[in-house]
Amino acid sequence: MFAVLAESLELLNQVASAVPTDKLDDPTPCADWTVAQVLLHAAGDQHAWASVVGSSPQPSYNPFAPPTQLAGTLDELIDPAIAAATAAWARIDTAAESVPTPLPPVPTLPAELAAAACALDAAVHAWDIGVATGQGSPLPPELAAQLIPAARVTAPPLRGFAYGPAVPEQAGDDATAALLRYLGRDPNWTA
């Protein structure tokens, strides 16, 4: 397992496990999406990655048009997504030069970069959910710094669809703030 991905999936799991059920309809840094929708999107994206790099089935819904309500519990949503991602990525050779991605503009990447792109999704959505539910930022600067190269490769062709325009960096930004701004997020966002 790629360390950056394992850490990011653990962040997603920890944050999702601490979401109060009365916060599922709250707003998030993802414009027009509630906490429930970001959770569904994050889980769906991990299933999508697992289906492309492994043999897991695609999610049963479009992760980019997630339902507004969960069909079950948070554990029933997040645990299978993390298990699918973990199993799929465990089969990938860390030295592989070409790993498929579910990102149409970036169909393949070297293994380390592909794993970081998958990790980017989990970690940034963990941040979205954490700040939206009052848990604070779970994304440490050390992990964010490892995700920046994947963001620089995958975000530009997905701007306007999966990412907003980059927000200018500010003096004193740490790697977490720099990553979030690059992905079109305000690191000081509050509900």
Side-chain angles (χ1 to χ4, degrees), residues 2-191:
F2 297 82
V4 69
L5 182 56
E7 185 176 353
S8 297
L9 291 172
E10 181 57 27
L11 282 183
L12 180 61
N13 186 44
Q14 288 173 358
V15 169
S17 296
V19 170
T21 55
D22 66 345
K23 297 278 188 187
L24 291 173
D25 293 328
D26 284 7
T28 69
C30 299
D32 302 324
W33 280 4
T34 65
V35 169
Q37 288 174 298
V38 174
L39 286 161
L40 284 156
H41 169 76
D45 278 357
Q46 290 307 313
H47 282 295
W49 273 98
S51 73
V52 171
V53 301
S55 59
S56 180
Q58 283 280 347
S60 60
Y61 55 90
N62 178 353
F64 288 94
T68 58
Q69 301 294 316
L70 301 180
T73 68
L74 289 173
D75 289 342
E76 292 169 339
L77 174 68
I78 298 299
D79 290 352
I82 290 174
T86 301
W89 284 99
R91 295 185 209 130
I92 301 298
D93 180 352
T94 59
E97 293 187 20
S98 180
V99 173
T101 82
L103 310 171
V106 188
T108 64
L109 289 169
E112 291 284 341
L113 201 51
C118 182
L120 174 69
D121 191 87
V124 170
H125 291 312
W127 179 85
D128 292 330
I129 297 159
V131 298
T133 59
Q135 298 179 54
S137 173
L139 182 54
E142 300 79 18
L143 177 58
Q146 294 176 60
L147 299 173
I148 289 173
R152 297 215 182 273
V153 170
T154 59
L158 296 171
R159 290 211 191 274
F161 173 68
Y163 299 108
V167 175
E169 288 188 34
Q170 306 277 325
D173 277 352
D174 64 8
T176 300
L179 174 65
L180 294 169
R181 289 184 198 283
Y182 185 74
L183 298 176
R185 286 168 168 78
D186 175 0
N188 300 312
W189 186 94
T190 57

